[in-house]
Amino acid sequence: MKRIAWNKGLTKETDNRVLLNSVNSAKAAKAAYRSGRRKPIKLFGNKNPSYKGGQIVDSQGYVYILTTPNRKYTKRCRLVIEKVIGRKLTSKEQVHHRNRIRSDDRVRNLMVFISNSAHRRFERGGVVKPEEIIFDGKMWVA
């Protein structure tokens, strides 16, 4: 049996791999996806047809915002506090909503604790040392 070359009959006009490097790459990418030769193209942000403005609300009521540099969703309350105190929060620092409405991210409604244990003690009415509170929205003046 005679072997046939893998590229038999392919030309620059019909080969999707050549078209992907051409000027009309979006059309070529769709054609390649339909033919099963390529993985689907990932569209991020407002280029994706399912994009909903970069904000989502989870089942617990927290609002998440899509951050540009790393394309990850971050809690809006953390972004608000980071802007006010002028630095990034560490992963151990906990944000507390005073009125317990998790979508209310006004600065006066937020507190930041140094650890989850300090945050839990505060919520249960226990004693919290002043040095365990990083930011208290009650003290903030606009």
Side-chain angles (χ1 to χ4, degrees), residues 97-128:
H97 292 83
R98 290 179 170 281
N99 63 3
R100 301 198 187 246
I101 300 172
R102 294 173 178 161
S103 62
D104 184 4
D105 294 326
R106 292 174 296 154
V107 176
R108 292 182 183 206
N109 185 43
L110 300 174
M111 292 178 72
V112 180
F113 292 93
I114 202 161
S115 65
N116 192 36
S117 60
H119 180 217
R120 289 288 177 203
R121 268 187 276 124
F122 178 80
E123 283 191 340
R124 293 179 181 146
V127 178
V128 179

Side-chain angles (χ1 to χ4, degrees), residues 84 98 107-111 130 133-142:
V84 170
R98 290 179 170 281
V107 176
R108 292 182 183 206
N109 185 43
L110 300 174
M111 292 178 72
I133 300 173
I134 295 171
F135 177 81
D136 189 358
K138 218 172 18 176
M139 307 295 188
W140 188 73
V141 178

Side-chain angles (χ1 to χ4, degrees), residues 39-55:
K39 292 182 181 177
I41 296 172
K42 293 183 179 180
L43 300 174
F44 294 100
N46 56 4
K47 294 178 183 174
N48 190 320
S50 300
Y51 186 65
K52 301 208 178 0
Q55 277 193 8

Side-chain angles (χ1 to χ4, degrees), residues 46-114:
N46 56 4
K47 294 178 183 174
N48 190 320
S50 300
Y51 186 65
K52 301 208 178 0
Q55 277 193 8
I56 57 173
V57 180
D58 71 355
S59 60
Q60 296 177 339
Y62 289 105
V63 178
Y64 287 82
I65 295 185
L66 184 66
T67 54
T68 308
N70 55 6
R71 293 187 192 143
K72 291 188 178 182
Y73 283 94
T74 309
K75 287 182 182 176
R76 185 172 64 188
C77 58
R78 292 184 72 85
L79 294 173
V80 168
I81 290 294
E82 287 173 355
K83 188 173 183 179
V84 170
I85 65 175
R87 69 170 177 86
K88 288 247 183 219
L89 293 177
T90 65
S91 59
K92 291 187 176 187
E93 294 171 340
Q94 298 291 313
V95 179
H96 172 72
H97 292 83
R98 290 179 170 281
N99 63 3
R100 301 198 187 246
I101 300 172
R102 294 173 178 161
S103 62
D104 184 4
D105 294 326
R106 292 174 296 154
V107 176
R108 292 182 183 206
N109 185 43
L110 300 174
M111 292 178 72
V112 180
F113 292 93
I114 202 161

